[in-house]
Amino acid sequence: MSRLSSLFLSIALLFLSAWLGIVVYSYLQLGRLTSFAGSDGVLPPDFSGRAILGAQVYAANGCVTCHSQQIRQTSVTRSDIDRGWGKRPSVARDYLRDRTAFLGTMRIGPDLSNVGLRLSDPLWHYQHLYEPDRIVPGSTMPSVRYLFKLQKIQGQPSEEAIPLVGSYAPQQGYEVIPTEDAKNLVTYLLSLKHDYTLPEVSPDVTPTP
Amino acid sequence: MNSISRTQSTINLTEPAPLHSVTRAAIDGSLRFPMALWVRGSVFWLLVGSLLSLVAAFKLVVPSFLDGPSFLTYGRLFPVATDLLLYGWATQLGIGVSLWLMARLCGSPLRHTSLLTCAIILWNVAIFLGSLAILCGYSTSVEWLEYPNWASFLLFLSFLLIGVWVVLLFSVRQSCVLYVSQWYLLAAFCSFPWIYATANRLLTWGVIEGSAQGPIHWWYGGNLINLWFTPLALGLGYYIIPKITGGIIANYYLAILGFFSLLLFAAWSGSAALIGGPIPAWMMSAGVVATVLMMIPMVAVVLNFYKMLQGHYVAIVESPALRFTVVGIISYIIFTTLSFFNAIPSFNATLHFTDYTSGRTMLALLGFLSMILFGAIYYILPRLTGIEWPSSSLIRWHFWLATVGVSLMIFSMIFGGVIEGIALEDAAISFVNVLSYAAPWRWLVVFSWILLLFSYGAFARLLLTMRWEAASLQFKYKV
Amino acid sequence: MNPYNDQYSNDELHPERDLLEINHAPAPVDRNNTEGFFGPIPLWLITLSMVLFFWAGLYLAYYSGGFKSTVFNASVVSWSGGGAGAVAAPIDMKVVGKKVFTQNCAVCHQSTGLGVPGQFPPLVGSEWVLSQDWHGDNHLVKNVLYGLQGPVTVKNIPFNNAMAPWNQLSDQQIAGVLTYIRSEWGNNAPPITTEFVAKVRADTKPRTEAWTMAELKAIPRELCSTTPNAGAPAK
């Protein structure tokens, strides 16, 4: 092949076809979706301000490196639903309110799409973030205790103090309280739930009640 | 133009025209200083990235290791390590050797290389500061695009400054016939800025709706491997193999088929990373189909290489450059096959989200591209410096430790991934028990990173003992 | 040049010219062995490629969800249009219809479907709604599209009023509301499909005057139920 222009043109056209088909198409068809106004209100429900800040903490600490947030379509596998990670597959609109869609590619830890439904006690989350190996023995999750503050008990123990008994428990006279980052992160985690349905969810999956 | 003269003019090409030795010396001389920077910078990041990857791999099996400080948490460390290997090592050195190759193929030395030097320094500074920023919590959290906006912008700027040279070299080339390697390098250098800019713009800077990010993200991820790493590596392979065996491209039409089918299918195959995900079904299926069809360019290229290597097996043993290149091509075959299996939805149901996925990426990065980059360095540096490699035993250590290390890593990640995937699919096995299935394989991965660190350390030592300063011969032949 | 050397080459003495040649001479190329260069691509590779292309085409035909952006499940083969708009899952026409009825029709025909005696005809048990006697499904649709005026009889009761035209409603909305009234309040008649409404709309010349009963009676009766119902309510 001897002409640079024909080579360049063929590269450009082939590349352009996929750019149009994937990037532009996604922008036009998926990027301009709006919330669905159902009888239950706006779906997916908006995040609270704290949850939005919590999503930033989630991003800053790279939680997506180990945790996915997608329940797979039943045409591929039912195991995500059977495992109790969700009641229905995820669709594109579920990620409408996310600044960054934390779809994830690895499951070194469990999927988190519905963790707000599965584990709805904030105290569990605080304890798990601080000493994961005691809450879930054998877990690969590292402790993120830098999101918490170790402080001396002043008079009465703080109401926000986290009860800890494992190897990371504070010594006598000290308590562990969550920082704003930890509170935001837990608020975000608790708001992760697909407890609504959308019209485009495949009809062959009836959500189990 | 009768067929004989066409044959002559196109076949006379392991380079467009046999360059005079003086011209070659001038080309090599002009690139000597930038290449020194490139090699030093990329090997430095290779070592740092491998060390951090070792720490990260160890954290997977001993989660409490160094988990106190925020800047060492796995979620920050692993992306930093991966990005150092992707952009600090592979992309940087890939750009460097491509530029040398382009200069040789276009037959022109580079002038005003101070601009190039600034771009290289900018690149390394951006990598360094970007990595620090991720460790301090400013990651964008988009896989392979974790550098904060300002860092990725600096990287993009640096790339443009260097890419300018590729375009300029094309414009001053002396032959009207384009060699195969030039096709691949042109495709790579056109693709990378486009995908990098588009992905960063849409995913990290003035982001689009979360609902649309998945396909675009994996369009970038697939293209990084298939339209940046693969053409770089194949372009280098198409140069090194005929040069060392003393032959020519085996079949012109196979080269055409391999090139254009790669371009056609590569960009669509990224969506296979989202099989079962929240993307329209047709995108998923397009990804499946494209990944399966990627077997065609692989077979075409490997067949070409095989024919070129026939009868020259002694050269593979004797020449380190060829040895590394051949291991790289074998890795390419295995990578495409693994991708093929990964794309079949019923297999993907088992394999997705396991170490199989990251194993494939590591194979493309460390097995395929890195090995061919090593081969290129072994070919280029003696010509650049006028010095031969000082220690053959270090070369042997480098080669064998790297080959065994990569093989062990891929074996552990693939088999471990399959076993973990089967356990993950069985809802009766609790997630923590699934982790126990994966654990022994992850220990093997730690061990393989140790082997790789020693291998890269041997290579670094080899480079250190090459006395660049003593190679003053090239200055006499600056044209 | 032998790159495989344990000794520092700087230790050996080379005249400059030799070093130049050693470092920068072109690699030797065997230019005699060139037969295969313009040879054909092996037949097995061509066959393999064709087989893969064929498989690819079939796969895309079956597993692409009709190339719609709203189909996420690859097992859903939906090449035929699954209704207008962005929703591909089967819509419950009665739900659509009830909404349309409440917003548009109930003000006259009442939410009970009983109408107002002397003013607005009832829909319950009405032969107009149930397509009995000379009334066909097409008459019902035309009625809704362009309205009705003048004397009419419903269940042997005379009425003389004007029904507004509703052609601004979409085919799906009209099909939905008609399906709704035919299955509500004890009425039991087959649903009306969106396609049927579209067909009747296309067959009818647009008019500014509402129909009279005589005009409608002159049009031959047509039923929707012979065509398969894509808009059937989900069971």
Side-chain angles (χ1 to χ4, degrees), chain B residues 403-424:
Chain B
T403 307
V404 170
V406 170
S407 310
L408 182 64
M409 177 185 299
I410 303 312
F411 175 79
S412 333
M413 283 179 139
I414 300 304
F415 271 96
V418 170
I419 289 175
E420 185 191 348
I422 294 174
L424 203 56

Side-chain angles (χ1 to χ4, degrees), chain B residues 296-309:
Chain B
I296 297 177
M298 185 273 280
V299 170
V301 166
V302 169
L303 196 58
N304 228 347
F305 286 166
Y306 173 69
K307 288 186 182 181
M308 285 193 258
L309 287 170

Side-chain angles (χ1 to χ4, degrees), chain B residues 68-88:
Chain B
S70 63
F71 55 87
L72 285 179
T73 190
Y74 185 83
R76 298 187 195 181
L77 197 64
F78 183 78
V80 165
T82 308
D83 285 353
L84 281 179
L85 291 175
L86 285 175
Y87 301 110

Side-chain angles (χ1 to χ4, degrees), chain B residues 43-321:
Chain B
V43 172
F44 175 72
W45 293 126
L46 175 68
L47 288 172
V48 174
S50 305
L51 181 65
L52 293 183
S53 296
L54 171 63
V55 173
F58 190 68
K59 275 165 170 283
L60 273 189
V61 285
V62 181
S64 55
F65 181 65
L66 293 180
D67 66 350
S70 63
F71 55 87
L72 285 179
T73 190
Y74 185 83
R76 298 187 195 181
L77 197 64
F78 183 78
V80 165
T82 308
D83 285 353
L84 281 179
L85 291 175
L86 285 175
Y87 301 110
W89 152 249
T91 301
Q92 190 181 180
L93 193 59
I95 292 173
V97 303
S98 300
L99 214 58
W100 177 86
L101 186 58
M102 202 61 104
R104 275 291 191 99
L105 289 172
C106 296
S108 163
L110 254 53
R111 289 169 178 73
H112 312 298
T113 50
S114 47
L115 186 65
L116 213 54
T117 309
C118 291
I120 301 171
I121 294 174
L122 183 63
W123 182 279
N124 285 291
V125 166
I127 298 262
F128 175 64
L129 292 178
S131 305
L132 276 187
I134 297 176
L135 290 177
C136 294
Y138 294 100
S139 162
T140 62
S141 187
V142 179
E143 192 167 342
W144 299 347
L145 291 168
E146 290 97 344
Y147 288 132
N149 286 331
W150 48 266
S152 50
F153 179 72
L154 289 178
L155 280 178
F156 182 67
L157 196 62
S158 166
F159 186 89
L160 284 184
L161 290 174
I162 300 173
V164 153
W165 287 111
V166 176
V167 175
L168 284 178
L169 281 171
F170 260 111
S171 65
V172 302
R173 74 188 190 284
Q174 299 177 348
S175 163
C176 46
V177 184
L178 285 170
Y179 183 65
V180 184
S181 293
Q182 287 169 301
W183 314 343
Y184 278 103
L185 293 182
L186 185 65
F189 275 83
C190 289
S191 307
F192 183 73
W194 192 321
I195 63 177
Y196 197 68
T198 306
N200 269 303
R201 170 68 183 82
L202 294 177
L203 300 176
T204 65
W205 196 32
V207 293
I208 60 171
E209 303 276 14
S211 42
Q213 287 180 9
I216 297 179
H217 184 196
W218 289 107
W219 170 83
Y220 172 76
N223 280 351
L224 186 69
I225 300 202
N226 293 324
L227 280 183
W228 171 239
F229 286 163
T230 304
L232 276 184
L234 293 182
L236 287 171
Y238 266 111
Y239 183 79
I240 295 173
I241 295 179
K243 273 290 190 185
I244 296 182
T245 59
I248 57 164
I249 305 288
N251 187 303
Y252 177 68
Y253 297 116
L254 275 180
I256 296 256
L257 174 67
F259 178 68
F260 283 105
S261 54
L262 177 72
L263 279 187
L264 181 59
F265 303 131
W268 292 97
S269 64
S271 302
L274 282 171
I275 291 178
I279 63 172
W282 75 261
M283 277 186 168
M284 241 183 277
S285 300
V288 170
V289 159
T291 313
V292 167
L293 289 172
M294 289 281 276
M295 291 294 261
I296 297 177
M298 185 273 280
V299 170
V301 166
V302 169
L303 196 58
N304 228 347
F305 286 166
Y306 173 69
K307 288 186 182 181
M308 285 193 258
L309 287 170
Q310 262 177 333
H312 297 284
Y313 299 117
V314 175
I316 300 179
V317 173
E318 285 188 351
S319 160

